[in-house]
Structure formats: structure tokens, C-alpha cells
Amino acid sequence: MGEDRHILRAVWEGRIPVAFTLAHDESESPNPPEPYFLLVPRLSYFPIVSDKVSRHFSRFLSPTVQPEMWLEYQGQPLKWHYPIGVLFDLYAADDSLPWTLTVHFQNFPESELLHCQSREVVESQFMSTIKEADALKHRCQVMNSMQKRDHKQLWNGLRNDKFDEFWAINRKLMEQTDEGPFRYIPFRIYQVG
């Protein structure tokens, strides 16, 4: 990993400028709110980076609205459990920047999206993905040998956008174990639709 560290850091530091706009029919204000702009990490997930967005638009909502936020791009609800960079590449890679997303707090598309009530749900989904990959790669040996604090450090590194904190643990998942080369190379295929 040492010789690839600059490449890993360059990938980690990839960012996408996003303009979040509140859905027109959800604002209680006579004047539409200004968009909220963020530079978001490609390797992160929207529920991790969207607290400020939710707070920005919450003052324009009816007090009776439940605060579960979901995002849409050109009529397509965005799956929160896909990394931001994957969503951008699937739906908007050819569009101009900033990536303009519509923020919703109503009419949750039950048939298209999973609910995400907290960051703990995102953490659980992320750790499950890592465990699945380790099962294919190392027969679960690496994740099972880690302590709870290692799992937390891996998650906190991603959540807080801390390269060194994340890679100090993730490095173990990228190396071969004493039993030889990787069994399989895990990968995911993401598709539109």
C-alpha cells in the first residue's frame, strides 16, 4: 500500500459540488429558500453529510412535516446506501456542476427507497458491506480478528472524512493474510433502474 498511498489519498479527496434545493411544493414560505451548497466526499453517503442541509430547509417546512429527508435527481429518488460518487457517476457524470439535487421531506417513495432514520443505520449498512467483502476475500478472518474499537475507527474515519484514521484499519482488509492470496476479489455492480 505504501507506493499507492498518493493514489489512495487522491481518490479519497475526490469531491462533488452539490446544490441542494427544496422541492417547490414543500415550502411553506412565500419566497423559495436559497439552495444550500456543499462540497461532498465521493466516498461518503448522503445521510452522513446532509445534517446541515436538513437544518437549512427545516425552517421553511410546515411544523407537521416529519423530518425524514430524501433526495431526488431529475425525478429519480437517490438510494442513500450507495456512495455519493457512485450516484453521481450513475446519474449525472455528463451534466454540468454543481450537481443540483431536490430535497424532499414529504411523499417518501416507499417502493423505491429504504428508510434511513439515523446515522447508526448507515453505519450498520457500511459495516455489513465491509464484512461481506472480508468474507469473500479472507473468510472473515480480518474482521473477526479486529476489536470493536477498530470497527469504530474504520467507521469514524469515513464519517469524519479522516483519511489516516480510516486507512490505518482499512489497510488490514487490503493485505493478504498468512494463509496466502485472496480467495476472491469482491466487487459490486451498480445499475440505474
Side-chain angles (χ1 to χ4, degrees):
M1 186 183 99
E3 65 276 359
D4 296 340
R5 189 165 179 81
H6 67 284
I7 295 169
L8 295 172
R9 185 171 287 278
V11 170
W12 181 273
E13 292 175 351
R15 302 286 188 263
I16 301 169
V18 180
F20 296 90
T21 59
L22 183 62
H24 299 295
D25 59 339
E26 295 188 26
S27 175
E28 291 288 312
S29 173
N31 300 320
E34 292 291 319
Y36 192 83
F37 294 91
L38 280 178
L39 195 58
V40 297
R42 289 181 58 87
L43 297 177
S44 191
Y45 297 85
F46 277 120
I48 296 174
V49 300
S50 58
D51 285 349
K52 292 178 183 176
V53 176
S54 181
R55 281 193 302 274
H56 173 74
F57 291 123
S58 64
R59 64 179 183 246
F60 299 98
L61 302 174
S62 166
T64 61
V65 170
Q66 294 297 319
E68 184 174 12
M69 186 176 92
W70 60 279
L71 302 171
E72 164 192 326
Y73 176 68
Q74 295 183 348
Q76 175 64 51
L78 299 178
K79 294 175 175 17
W80 64 263
H81 56 285
Y82 285 14
I84 294 170
V86 170
L87 290 168
F88 178 78
D89 293 345
L90 284 173
Y91 297 111
D94 296 330
D95 293 351
S96 63
L97 296 174
W99 188 22
T100 303
L101 301 180
T102 304
V103 177
H104 292 274
F105 292 91
Q106 300 173 14
N107 303 317
F108 189 87
E110 300 278 347
S111 63
E112 296 180 66
L113 295 181
L114 300 172
H115 285 277
C116 180
Q117 298 292 343
S118 68
R119 284 187 175 183
E120 288 76 22
V121 173
V122 182
E123 178 182 4
S124 178
Q125 183 276 330
F126 172 75
M127 293 308 292
S128 292
T129 301
I130 297 296
K131 289 175 183 177
E132 289 171 1
D134 186 45
L136 290 171
K137 214 170 180 181
H138 304 112
R139 293 183 177 94
C140 300
Q141 293 173 348
V142 176
M143 287 300 286
N144 288 341
S145 69
M146 289 183 187
Q147 296 181 4
K148 186 167 178 69
R149 72 172 191 267
D150 295 328
H151 292 203
K152 279 294 182 194
Q153 181 177 337
L154 187 68
W155 168 248
N156 288 334
L158 178 73
R159 187 187 73 194
N160 299 322
D161 196 29
K162 303 285 186 190
F163 175 83
D164 293 324
E165 184 178 342
F166 178 84
W167 275 98
I169 302 301
N170 195 59
R171 170 183 56 80
K172 297 173 188 176
L173 294 160
M174 305 311 286
E175 297 172 343
Q176 294 183 22
T177 61
D178 295 337
E179 293 190 10
F182 302 141
R183 282 181 47 205
Y184 303 101
I185 304 294
F187 66 94
R188 285 202 172 190
I189 298 174
Y190 295 92
Q191 295 179 268
V192 176

